[in-house]
Amino acid sequence: MYKFGNILIGKNELNEATLLLNKANRHGLITGASGSGKTITLKVLAESFSEAGVPVFLSDVKGDLAGTIKEGIINDNIKSRINTLNIEDFKTQKFPVTFLDVYGKNGCNIRTTIKDIGSKLLSKMLNLTDTQGGVLAIAFKIAKDEELDLIDLNDLKAMLTYIGEKRKEYSLTYGNVTLQSIGSIQRNILSLQEEGGDFFFGLPAFNIKDLIHFDVNTGFGNINIFDAQTLFQKPTLYATFMLWMLTTIYNEFPEIGDTEKPKLVLFFDEAHLIFNDMPEHLTKQIIQIVKLIRSKGIGIYFISQSPSDIPIEILSQLGNRIQHVLRSYTPTDEKAIKAASDSFRKNPNFNTAEVISTLKTGEALISLQNEDGEPTIVDKYIIVPPQSMIGTITDIERDNYIKSTWLYGKYEEKLNLTSTKDILNEKLKKEKEEPLKKTRAKAKKSTMEKATERVITNTASSFGRKLGNSLFKNLFK
C-alpha cells in the first residue's frame, strides 16, 4: 500500500513495516511454504510500486495475479484485516496491466532471437555437454563471420546442417566439428521445439524497454504480468527466459546511480528454478548482474520457498526480506528454518526460528533497509490486504483486456522474412548441383567425342575401301 511516499507492507500493534522507495533497488526476498501468503505479499508490493509510479515485471506461475486489472472487493476477511490493522484510508482500486506470454495465448507475444540469446545461455537451455556447447559456439562464430543472422531454431538447425556438410573445411579454421555432436544438438533442438521453443524465438523481437510504461490518466507504473502457467512446466526454458531478461536489462539500461525510487522492479517467482543445476559460469554471471544492476535503478525480488534456494552470494545482496511460515517435518526443514533465522538481525523479544515455524497465513517476519542502508531488527507483522481483486479472471475478460492495451498489435504477428535457413538451403542445393552439372557436362562431352570418332572412323573406313577398290581395278586392267 503506497503511503506517504513509501510502501506500507505490514503492521503490528506498535510498528509499521515500511519499504523506503529510495532503498527498493537494494533488492529483496519473499520466502515461505506453499499457501503461506507469498503471492498476496507479492501482489501488495507490485500494486504499491505501480501507484508510486514504478513499472513492475512479475511472473505469474499460477494465473492468480490477473485480478490486478479489476478493483478489489472488501469481503469479511478483508474488512477484518483492515480493522485489525486500523487502516483508515484503505481503498480498493484497479491497476494498469500488460499481459505477456511466450506462447502468445494469455498475453502479448514476447520473443527474442537465437543471435541475441547467445551460445552460452542456449547451451544451458539445450542441456548440452561441454563438447556440444563448443560446437554450438563454433556455429555462432561462423554465422557471425559469414554475416548470417540466426533468428529462430530453424535457422540454427540449418546452420548446423551446413557446418556438418562442410565440417572438414571449417574444422581447420574453427576447431573440431563432429557429426555426433551436431546430431546430439539437433535432437535437443527438436525437443525444445516440442516444448514450444519456436514461440520464443523469432521476429519481431521484444523491446525490453517496453516494460517501462505509465498510465496516462493516473501516472501509475505499468504492471507487466508474465503468464508462466505453461512455461513453468518447462523449468529449463523458464529459467533461461529469466536469465535472458536479466542479462538484456543489464546490457541495455543506462547507469543512473541512486534515485528517489527505482526505474523498474522485477519479481521472479519460483526462483529456485533459475538456480537449480545452473552451470557455475552462468551463476557467476547472474551474481555479477544482481550486484551491479541496482546502479541502473533496477530492483530485483526473488520469491521462493526457502532462502537456501538462492545462492549465498546473491542472498547477501538482498537487503529487504519478508519471511512467511516454514514448516518443520524433517531435519532438512529444521536446517532451512535455522538458516532463515540466521539471515535476520535478531530481535531480543523472541526466538526467530520458533516464530518462523509458527506464523499464520498472512503473517510474516520482516526486515527492511533503513535510511542508512542497514537492516532493521526483524519483527512480526500482519501483511496489509491488496487493493485489487484477489484471484483470476475469465478467458474472455483477459482477451478483451489484452486487445485494449497500448502494446497490442506490436508483437502478435510473427515476421516471415528471408531467413538464414533459406539462404543456407539454397547454398547447399547449388553446391550439390554443381558436381552433377560437371558430371553431366563431362558425360555429354564424352558422348560427343565418341560420336565424332565413329564418324571419322566410318568415313576413313569408307574412303579406304573406295581407294582400295580403285587401286585394285587399275592393277588388273
Side-chain angles (χ1 to χ4, degrees), residues 26 117 177 193 229 336 382 385 460 465:
R26 304 299 174 90
I117 204 166
V177 175
Q193 287 181 308
Q229 296 177 81
I382 298 175
R465 284 195 300 272

Side-chain angles (χ1 to χ4, degrees), residues 255-272:
E255 295 277 347
I256 59 175
D258 290 329
T259 57
E260 292 183 357
K261 60 184 180 181
K263 187 171 185 177
L264 174 69
V265 174
L266 313 171
F267 291 91
F268 293 124
D269 201 359
E270 302 296 342
H272 63 279

Side-chain angles (χ1 to χ4, degrees), residues 30 33 65 69 75 136 150 170 277 317 363 371 386 417 477:
I30 305 172
L65 293 171
I69 68 170
N75 55 28
L136 185 67
L150 297 177
Y170 283 126
D277 302 319
Q317 301 295 315
E363 295 180 339
E371 284 289 1
L417 306 176
K477 276 183 178 180

Side-chain angles (χ1 to χ4, degrees), residues 217-370:
N217 297 315
T218 63
F220 285 12
N222 196 56
I223 299 177
N224 301 277
I225 298 180
F226 176 68
D227 188 277
Q229 296 177 81
T230 301
L231 190 64
F232 173 65
Q233 300 171 34
K234 321 293 182 185
T236 302
L237 186 57
Y238 175 73
T240 307
F241 170 82
M242 295 305 176
L243 293 178
W244 163 79
M245 170 163 282
L246 275 176
T247 304
T248 306
I249 289 174
Y250 176 73
N251 289 336
E252 294 196 15
F253 278 65
E255 295 277 347
I256 59 175
D258 290 329
T259 57
E260 292 183 357
K261 60 184 180 181
K263 187 171 185 177
L264 174 69
V265 174
L266 313 171
F267 291 91
F268 293 124
D269 201 359
E270 302 296 342
H272 63 279
L273 293 178
I274 300 176
F275 302 107
N276 281 353
D277 302 319
M278 181 182 290
E280 184 179 355
H281 68 277
L282 287 180
T283 302
K284 289 181 178 179
Q285 178 183 346
I286 298 305
I287 291 170
Q288 188 72 3
I289 289 174
V290 172
K291 286 181 178 179
L292 300 177
I293 202 170
R294 76 182 193 186
S295 65
K296 301 194 175 192
I298 310 297
I300 301 174
Y301 289 71
F302 296 102
I303 300 93
S304 199
Q305 293 196 3
S306 171
S308 60
D309 295 334
I310 313 298
I312 188 65
E313 297 91 343
I314 291 179
L315 201 60
S316 65
Q317 301 295 315
L318 310 180
N320 302 298
R321 301 192 182 192
I322 303 171
Q323 177 67 62
H324 289 274
V325 65
L326 286 176
R327 302 179 179 92
S328 177
Y329 299 110
T330 67
T332 302
D333 295 335
E334 291 178 2
K335 289 181 181 178
I337 291 174
K338 186 179 185 306
S341 171
D342 291 342
S343 68
F344 285 110
R345 184 178 172 187
K346 302 299 181 185
N347 189 324
N349 297 321
F350 56 73
N351 183 306
T352 306
E354 290 181 1
V355 173
I356 288 176
S357 61
T358 58
L359 290 167
K360 297 177 182 178
T361 300
E363 295 180 339
L365 291 181
I366 300 177
S367 175
L368 307 169
Q369 289 206 339
N370 61 24

Side-chain angles (χ1 to χ4, degrees), residues 87-235:
I87 303 175
E88 297 179 353
D89 53 350
F90 183 85
K91 62 178 180 179
T92 58
Q93 58 182 332
K94 60 183 179 180
F95 293 84
V97 168
T98 296
F99 289 109
L100 303 171
D101 184 6
V102 163
Y103 299 97
K105 180 181 178 182
N106 293 323
C108 297
N109 296 77
I110 185 166
R111 304 184 192 89
T112 186
T113 65
I114 293 292
K115 176 184 176 181
D116 288 340
I117 204 166
S119 63
K120 289 183 179 180
L121 287 183
L122 192 58
S123 291
K124 180 185 184 302
M125 181 184 292
L126 297 174
N127 195 27
L128 303 183
T129 65
D130 290 342
T131 300
Q132 294 161 1
V135 172
L136 185 67
I138 288 173
F140 271 73
K141 185 66 169 68
I142 292 173
K144 181 180 179 180
D145 291 347
E146 299 192 5
E147 297 182 346
L148 296 169
D149 285 333
L150 297 177
I151 302 301
D152 56 25
L153 290 172
N154 288 325
D155 285 347
L156 181 59
K157 288 168 66 177
M159 190 77 222
L160 290 166
T161 298
Y162 185 73
I163 292 171
E165 293 282 349
K166 305 184 70 176
R167 62 190 180 281
K168 292 182 180 179
E169 175 184 334
Y170 283 126
S171 292
L172 294 173
T173 305
Y174 296 94
N176 191 36
V177 175
T178 66
L179 288 178
Q180 183 179 6
S181 291
I182 288 178
S184 297
I185 298 171
Q186 296 279 38
R187 285 194 299 272
N188 289 2
I189 292 174
L190 180 60
S191 297
L192 181 60
Q193 287 181 308
E194 291 175 349
E195 287 191 356
D198 284 328
F199 289 96
F200 183 41
F201 297 105
L203 292 173
F206 186 79
N207 183 349
I208 206 70
K209 293 183 179 179
D210 279 342
L211 296 177
I212 307 293
H213 189 75
F214 305 91
D215 185 82
V216 294
N217 297 315
T218 63
F220 285 12
N222 196 56
I223 299 177
N224 301 277
I225 298 180
F226 176 68
D227 188 277
Q229 296 177 81
T230 301
L231 190 64
F232 173 65
Q233 300 171 34
K234 321 293 182 185

